[in-house]
Amino acid sequence: LNFPIKIEKDQKKRPIAGVPYNGIEVGFSTLNVHKDVTFRFVNDVIRELSEMTLGPYLHIGGDEAQVTEKNDYITFVNRFKEIVRDNGKTMIGWGEIAQGDIGSAEIAQYWNSEKYAQDAVKKGAKLILSPSKKVYLDMKYDSSTKLGQNWAAYIDVEDSYNWDP
């Protein structure tokens, strides 16, 4: 869940609550697992998304939680799993959700950590393969490419096309 925040020039890309943020930096915020209002809010969002979507799946994200303590992160995953299920959907989350109590009813999406992918499979979860170093369409082809990102890798079209999981 991304909340509207803004980063001031002199704040070194740190957000200011309540002011729109249009950047791409991530991982500097978290939700409080120790407050009931947090999960009432999460349930409201998940319920509304579940009502708006026809398919059986709901992707909760779950990556880029750098400032969330590990035990809090596990609590989030476990609570999200229950909330998503209670709203009639199957939870999908990025590979990091393997740290939680997931099983055959959940789906982890591999993007960068083989360890999390393996952990998810060991727990019985299904796995979607979308490795950032092979199939991310917003990556530059090489260092001369003007548009795109390069945080995962330079991905040549041929390398992506020939990728064989």
Side-chain angles (χ1 to χ4, degrees):
L1 300 171
N2 291 327
F3 294 90
I5 49 180
K6 180 183 176 190
I7 292 178
E8 296 291 331
K9 290 179 185 176
D10 63 339
Q11 297 244 326
K12 296 187 180 181
K13 299 187 179 181
R14 286 294 177 213
I16 297 174
V19 183
Y21 167 61
N22 297 316
I24 62 170
E25 299 297 319
V26 296
F28 47 71
S29 62
T30 191
L31 297 174
N32 188 334
V33 298
H34 306 289
K35 293 191 174 196
D36 288 335
V37 69
T38 299
F39 292 105
R40 285 197 310 269
F41 168 76
V42 168
N43 187 64
D44 285 346
V45 171
I46 298 297
R47 178 181 38 78
E48 289 187 23
L49 288 171
S50 296
E51 290 170 357
M52 294 178 351
T53 57
L54 300 177
Y57 307 106
L58 197 135
H59 200 300
I60 64 155
D63 61 331
E64 300 168 343
Q66 290 90 323
V67 299
T68 305
E69 298 291 329
K70 184 172 182 173
N71 287 337
D72 288 352
Y73 181 81
I74 292 168
T75 298
F76 275 124
V77 170
N78 295 342
R79 293 289 299 274
F80 267 76
K81 177 183 75 172
E82 294 169 7
I83 291 168
V84 170
R85 183 194 60 230
D86 290 347
N87 282 282
K89 299 290 183 179
T90 297
M91 183 180 83
I92 301 174
W94 294 112
E96 289 86 341
I97 69 166
Q99 297 171 83
D101 297 327
I102 63 170
S104 61
E106 289 76 46
I107 303 170
Q109 187 168 358
Y110 166 68
W111 71 285
N112 76 337
S113 170
E114 289 182 27
K115 178 192 178 318
Y116 289 144
Q118 291 168 354
D119 289 350
V121 170
K122 285 177 188 171
K123 292 180 176 187
K126 295 173 188 74
L127 193 66
I128 296 171
L129 298 177
S130 56
S132 59
K133 293 181 179 182
K134 290 292 182 186
V135 299
Y136 272 38
L137 301 176
D138 61 342
M139 293 296 120
K140 294 180 179 185
Y141 304 130
D142 57 41
S143 61
S144 68
T145 306
K146 293 185 193 259
L147 294 176
Q149 304 288 321
N150 65 355
W151 60 265
Y154 292 115
I155 304 174
D156 182 81
V157 173
E158 187 174 342
D159 289 341
S160 244
Y161 183 79
N162 290 326
W163 174 61
D164 182 3

